Amino acid sequence: MTEDTSKTISRRFLLKIMSGGIAGLGFTQLNSAWAQISGQAVQLLPSLTGPNRNPYWNSTGPFVVYPQKLPLIQITDRPVQLETPRHYFLTPFTPNAAFFVRWHLDKIPNAINLSEWRLFVEGNVERPLILSLNDLMKKFKQVSVTAVNQCSGNSRSRFQPHIPGGQWGNGAMGNATMKGVRLKDVLDAARIKSGSLQVQCEGLDRGRGPKDKGSYRYQKSLYLNDPILHEVVIAYEMNGAPLPILNGFPVRLVVPGKFATYWIKALTWIRIITEPDTNFWMTKAYCIPDTPHGNTTPEDMERKQIKQIPIGTMPVRSFLITPDGSDMIPLAMPLTLQGIAFSGHGQIVKVEFSDDNGITWHQAKLGKNYGRYSFRTWKAAWIPKHTGKYTLTVRATDEKGNTQADEGIWNPGGYLWNKIERQEVVIGVSE
Amino acid sequence: MKMAKIRCILISLFVIMPGKTPLAQNELPGLTQSGQYQQGILGSISQPGPIRYSPDTIYLVGTYPLNTPELIRGEGLEITQTYCRFCHSTTYISMQPQLSASAWHTIVDKMIHTHGAPIPEEEAKQIIAYLQAQYAQKDHK
């Protein structure tokens, strides 16, 4: 058979191609001009981003699949740390199956027997309690709160110089309605004795280090006189469903407005203590410089002039979710910019966007209000007026007047990042 | 022989049939490329099946998948693997961005003194040397 014959396909050939598949035939090499555009335009993300900050919205790891989860982005595999892809932040509530995961120690629950599991309330109390999940659901008043859960190290991959630890992009956050009982109600039932200082929380996770080290157990404490204590919830429901095991089934602590480090998963011990908790996770990890915005420099840290304090409330942040730069946008197409904003300090009152890299700002329309601790969605109509690149930026302001700065910060933990976000989009010709 | 035959039929299918360009211009205006598939670098990923419920009170999800990238080959790799995958996978090493040589020194010290990793001094030195050679700035690939 020669090149210019046979315009019809023989039955024999069809059978062959169907049984063998066409993938291995290499027909993309048929025509050189064609071959130039026929490779996969979408490449793999490079896994390392060199000495520079991670330029992508999310971290650069592969998608991985875990029980009860949609494909999420791997940070680490043992213990499990998974990041939520950008796309899931189009809605005010982050689906449980897409909610980020962050454990510190590698022995995390695979199975929990609810006939044996109990929540222990102990320490400096008059009536220690041992509560089953059913006790929690039946014996206490049910409350619910919609709150953002954000890892202290969210966006750590932005810091320069680089900071060791999980190289999170922006997806170590999520928003959910958490239903359960008030921590205060449980503590009242246990009757805290005088001389008490903090409430310490601990979950079922354990590490393989020595028993007196942070590599063995993860504990976090809150001061009993912290006003947030009135709003802390022991939650057994997340967005109307049981919590995924990776997010803390059967119950997790919810500390609205504060970083996720306090939101103990698989919460099992609540301990009233009379001395400040000095364990590794309180005094070495999750501490920030006691400076404005937790900002310092490697040089100042070296000189050890900087006092460090436990991290607390989340600074105001806002994100553009779409357009995300993955498509070229035709000139003059009327688009809707969409995103979210939140602040641990109070209600979001304003979201502004700019299409000239932050020189002029325009107000966006805020979505439904689900409470002061929730994501607030925002939208803005936008029409690109020239071809080429635009740099879209977004910033939010909360009810206390906090807003986002355009200078990055630095601290040794890689915490509190809330610099104004930028997204480059490319506008193509439409005529 | 067979390959050549299939190729020439494909050429006739995709190139010769519609004329000079692969696609007839007026039929599908503007279409620059179509019908392209490739055994790609963008992969597939398995879906989890439904959880197998146990009949009693145990809520279980089964085991978690490991996906630990291989560490870069080099002197000290084995000893690093021996000591650095006890409490967590070595993904904790490979996920780090370009760190300075001194940052790797600090990390190993922290694992030993703060987290209680039982690593003898001589071995610790070899691990630090390995991490600095393979995972510190400049040498970082």
Side-chain angles (χ1 to χ4, degrees):
Chain A
M1 201 185 287
T2 53
E3 294 245 335
D4 53 357
T5 57
S6 181
K7 287 184 182 176
T8 54
I9 307 170
S10 75
R11 196 171 158 267
R12 233 186 74 214
F13 173 69
L14 259 186
L15 285 175
K16 191 176 272 169
I17 216 170
M18 284 164 80
S19 62
I22 55 167
L25 298 179
F27 62 86
T28 55
Q29 279 132 43
L30 293 178
N31 172 314
S32 64
W34 200 10
Q36 272 181 15
I37 50 168
S38 63
Q40 282 181 346
V42 182
Q43 304 289 315
L44 288 183
L45 264 189
S47 62
L48 297 161
T49 54
N52 300 322
R53 69 182 186 89
N54 167 18
Y56 305 102
W57 199 93
N58 276 121
S59 54
T60 55
F63 282 120
V64 285
V65 179
Y66 278 73
Q68 304 175 308
K69 292 285 170 184
L70 289 157
L72 301 177
I73 299 165
Q74 170 164 305
I75 301 289
T76 58
D77 52 348
R78 178 172 64 86
V80 184
Q81 302 189 70
L82 309 170
E83 181 171 329
T84 304
R86 184 179 194 174
H87 167 86
Y88 291 107
F89 299 103
L90 277 175
T91 54
F93 299 98
T94 316
N96 293 359
F99 215 93
F100 84 100
V101 173
R102 197 286 186 243
W103 293 86
H104 303 80
L105 305 174
D106 88 330
K107 290 194 271 179
I108 60 179
N110 297 95
I112 291 168
N113 186 344
L114 281 189
S115 70
E116 286 170 16
W117 176 85
R118 293 292 180 269
L119 176 63
F120 299 90
V121 186
E122 56 188 41
N124 201 36
V125 295
E126 271 164 33
R127 285 201 329 169
L129 304 176
I130 299 176
L131 304 166
S132 68
L133 180 61
N134 196 50
D135 291 335
L136 282 171
M137 294 190 293
K138 298 267 167 66
K139 293 186 179 160
F140 296 87
K141 192 183 153 207
Q142 195 179 72
V143 295
S144 84
V145 61
T146 299
V148 175
N149 178 286
Q150 184 189 206
C151 174
S152 309
N154 197 21
S155 315
R156 182 177 287 124
S157 60
R158 302 279 181 266
F159 282 80
Q160 291 224 271
H162 284 313
I163 288 160
Q167 297 301 304
W168 299 99
N170 290 332
M173 60 177 182
N175 188 47
T177 298
M178 306 295 289
K179 194 182 277 179
V181 306
R182 241 185 228 111
L183 173 66
K184 266 276 174 193
D185 291 349
V186 172
L187 293 181
D188 286 349
R191 290 198 215 119
I192 296 176
K193 286 196 214 162
S194 66
S196 301
L197 188 69
Q198 291 182 330
V199 51
Q200 184 188 57
C201 296
E202 183 178 337
L204 291 176
D205 46 329
R206 284 290 179 274
R208 295 174 201 271
K211 288 204 165 148
D212 59 339
K213 303 277 187 190
S215 53
Y216 174 71
R217 54 157 60 108
Y218 182 83
Q219 299 162 311
K220 293 297 287 192
S221 296
L222 292 164
Y223 278 96
L224 288 166
N225 64 4
D226 187 330
I228 198 61
L229 228 63
H230 294 272
E231 295 177 71
V232 174
V233 171
I234 300 167
Y236 44 71
E237 215 182 283
M238 176 171 174
N239 289 328
L243 282 74
I245 284 204
L246 285 171
N247 293 113
F249 180 87
V251 300
R252 94 176 286 180
L253 202 69
V254 173
V255 190
K258 287 205 203 255
F259 278 105
T261 178
Y262 297 101
W263 298 41
I264 296 289
K265 293 179 290 301
L267 174 67
T268 302
W269 291 274
I270 295 175
R271 214 167 279 128
I272 299 299
I273 56 178
T274 53
E275 299 289 328
D277 188 347
T278 57
N279 93 73
F280 170 79
W281 300 106
M282 286 301 296
T283 55
K284 302 265 171 22
Y286 294 114
C287 285
I288 53 167
D290 192 8
T291 58
H293 309 291
N295 190 20
T296 182
T297 61
E299 295 72 37
D300 280 359
M301 283 311 296
E302 199 102 313
R303 284 186 228 119
K304 297 200 183 355
Q305 299 161 336
I306 305 292
K307 189 185 162 204
Q308 300 242 84
I309 53 168
I311 197 169
T313 304
M314 302 185 292
V316 59
R317 296 196 76 172
S318 59
F319 298 92
L320 174 72
I321 304 304
T322 185
D324 64 0
S326 64
D327 355 71
M328 190 155 80
I329 298 163
L331 180 66
M333 177 176 278
L335 297 179
T336 309
L337 310 184
Q338 288 184 68
I340 49 161
F342 65 94
S343 167
H345 294 281
Q347 203 91 254
I348 291 296
V349 292
K350 190 165 70 178
V351 172
E352 299 159 288
F353 74 95
S354 161
D355 65 1
D356 54 8
N357 201 13
I359 297 164
T360 50
W361 293 91
H362 315 276
Q363 207 154 324
K365 193 168 176 289
L366 297 182
K368 196 176 165 199
N369 186 354
Y370 293 98
R372 55 183 291 228
Y373 296 116
S374 171
F375 279 160
R376 190 85 189 255
T377 55
W378 62 267
K379 274 183 187 180
W382 182 64
I383 304 176
K385 298 202 179 63
H386 63 76
T387 56
K389 281 180 186 166
Y390 270 94
T391 300
L392 302 175
T393 59
V394 53
R395 73 179 179 202
T397 307
D398 68 23
E399 61 183 329
K400 305 266 165 59
N402 299 305
T403 188
Q404 297 173 258
D406 206 9
E407 292 82 53
I409 54 163
W410 192 90
N411 56 58
Y415 302 134
L416 300 173
W417 187 259
N418 76 329
K419 181 182 179 326
I420 290 176
E421 290 283 319
R422 285 187 159 62
Q423 176 65 56
E424 208 164 78
V425 293
V426 177
I427 314 302
V429 177
S430 58
E431 220 178 346
Chain B
M1 245 336 264
K2 273 181 192 163
M3 266 319 278
K5 197 166 160 189
I6 292 165
R7 260 189 71 156
C8 76
I9 295 168
L10 274 167
I11 290 168
S12 59
L13 258 178
F14 289 95
V15 181
I16 299 166
M17 274 178 67
K20 273 191 174 165
T21 48
L23 301 154
Q25 258 162 19
N26 31 11
E27 263 175 56
L28 301 164
L31 188 62
T32 316
Q33 186 182 15
S34 75
Q36 292 288 287
Y37 300 88
Q38 186 184 338
Q39 199 83 55
I41 45 167
L42 299 178
S44 75
I45 189 164
S46 307
Q47 290 190 48
I51 282 170
R52 263 172 281 126
Y53 295 104
S54 61
D56 49 26
T57 54
I58 297 173
Y59 293 72
L60 83 169
V61 293
T63 56
Y64 298 119
L66 281 174
N67 179 25
T68 312
E70 269 181 38
L71 292 182
I72 300 170
R73 288 218 190 137
E75 207 186 319
L77 168 64
E78 267 110 76
I79 197 146
T80 304
Q81 277 175 333
T82 307
Y83 287 100
C84 302
R85 66 174 171 206
F86 184 63
C87 299
H88 48 68
S89 67
T90 53
T91 311
Y92 270 73
I93 295 173
S94 52
M95 74 155 162
Q96 299 306 328
Q98 287 194 352
L99 300 175
S100 63
S102 71
W104 280 113
H105 200 299
T106 309
I107 287 170
V108 175
D109 278 352
K110 179 179 173 185
M111 296 307 135
I112 296 169
H113 299 117
T114 310
H115 287 316
I119 309 176
E121 215 170 293
E122 187 47 41
E123 278 80 350
K125 273 190 202 147
Q126 291 174 37
I127 293 170
I128 293 168
Y130 165 79
L131 293 169
Q132 290 178 337
Q134 305 302 337
Y135 288 94
Q137 261 145 29
K138 280 200 185 118
D139 291 326
H140 204 175
K141 279 155 230 121

